[in-house]
Amino acid sequence: IIAAELADGQALVRVMVLNSLYTTNSQQLIFKLGGMLAHRVFSLPFRRDIRLTCAGATQILCFLKTCCRRRDVLVTVREHFLSLLLKFEEYCCRPDVPVARGLNLVLSLVRHHAR
């Protein structure tokens, strides 16, 4: 109920769940939360072994902005967000600057607009 109230069209509403709960019941959790909240519920799993391009970072950014605008709810686990942070640091150490810039925009959106 709180997540539905926070979804105001400007904030990215993020519900963090335990990893064990997410891995065993992710689809059921998304279905039930979506039914209770009357908002669309998405997940954005992220792992460090994902090879990311500039276009991929832009897609993630567009997806998160769309979630904000449409008042959707994002269900995730802490490990996914930490993997995103580590991936950003990994790309900062590489000469692949456009991907690091794209991930920086994603992290900036999450830091400033996630509730």
Side-chain angles (χ1 to χ4, degrees):
I1 295 171
I2 293 171
E5 189 64 31
L6 289 173
D8 61 359
Q10 294 179 357
L12 173 65
V13 178
R14 179 177 55 168
V15 177
M16 293 270 194
V17 297
L18 295 172
N19 194 22
S20 58
L21 178 64
Y22 183 81
T23 54
T24 58
N25 299 333
S26 63
Q27 291 294 59
Q28 184 179 12
L29 181 67
I30 290 170
F31 178 74
K32 291 201 179 196
L33 274 177
M36 282 184 354
L37 301 177
H39 287 270
R40 290 188 304 182
V41 179
F42 294 102
S43 66
L44 183 63
F46 194 87
R47 296 183 324 270
R48 283 191 56 214
D49 62 348
I50 293 175
R51 296 204 42 93
L52 199 60
T53 62
C54 187
T58 303
Q59 276 186 316
I60 293 171
L61 181 64
C62 289
F63 169 72
L64 294 177
K65 285 182 177 180
T66 302
C67 283
C68 290
R69 191 176 59 252
R70 292 184 180 172
R71 301 175 55 193
D72 298 333
V73 177
L74 184 67
V75 174
T76 187
V77 295
R78 184 82 177 147
E79 289 82 0
H80 293 166
F81 181 68
L82 293 175
S83 291
L84 185 64
L85 282 172
L86 288 172
K87 195 65 163 177
F88 169 67
E89 290 182 14
E90 179 183 320
Y91 276 106
C92 283
C93 295
R94 290 182 180 179
D96 198 358
V97 176
V99 177
R101 284 189 187 138
L103 283 176
N104 188 32
L105 291 173
V106 169
L107 292 172
S108 177
L109 179 109
V110 171
R111 283 188 198 116
H112 293 99
H113 295 284
R115 303 289 174 252

